[in-house]
Amino acid sequence: SNVQRMRFYDSKHKRKIVLTPDSILYISSDENYVNISYTENGKERVYTLRSSMKAIDELCQDNGMVRCHRSFYVNPSYVKVLRKEKEGAIYAEMESKDMVHIPVSKKYYDRLAELLY
């Protein structure tokens, strides 16, 4: 099967985890780490990798992940709705057991909205 795979490497260029793009829900960054939220056998898991958004940017874009905030990439297939709050903040509600709401910045909103509607 030639299912595309995403190979994530840490900052020392050691391969750490290999995932199919459709298993990834979203990716968040936290200083020198990225947290990859993904599903495996119907369970949601998080893998923490010592890396940066910059280092995974190309990998994410090539595999259909969409940047929605300086600290987040989402898989648009799992975005249920984009919600605008009264004070102007925008969130992507994910189809996830934890009902995660991911911030979407104005800079990235149009691109994400375009993919959804």
Side-chain angles (χ1 to χ4, degrees), residues 45-109:
R45 302 180 185 281
V46 177
Y47 186 87
T48 299
L49 181 70
R50 190 173 174 86
S51 186
S52 66
M53 291 299 258
K54 192 178 158 77
I56 64 167
D57 191 55
E58 204 174 314
L59 179 67
C60 285
Q61 289 188 28
D62 290 350
N63 288 278
M65 304 294 137
V66 178
R67 187 79 173 257
C68 65
H69 184 273
R70 66 189 164 80
S71 305
F72 286 91
Y73 278 98
V74 291
N75 182 338
S77 314
Y78 293 103
V79 176
K80 204 165 56 182
V81 67
L82 291 178
R83 203 180 68 237
K84 281 187 170 176
E85 304 277 301
K86 285 189 202 58
E87 72 281 5
I90 306 164
Y91 292 94
E93 277 185 24
M94 305 300 288
E95 284 183 26
S96 138
K97 291 189 185 67
D98 299 334
M99 279 305 300
V100 188
H101 298 163
I102 290 175
V104 177
S105 43
K106 297 222 171 16
K107 176 179 176 183
Y108 298 110
Y109 174 79

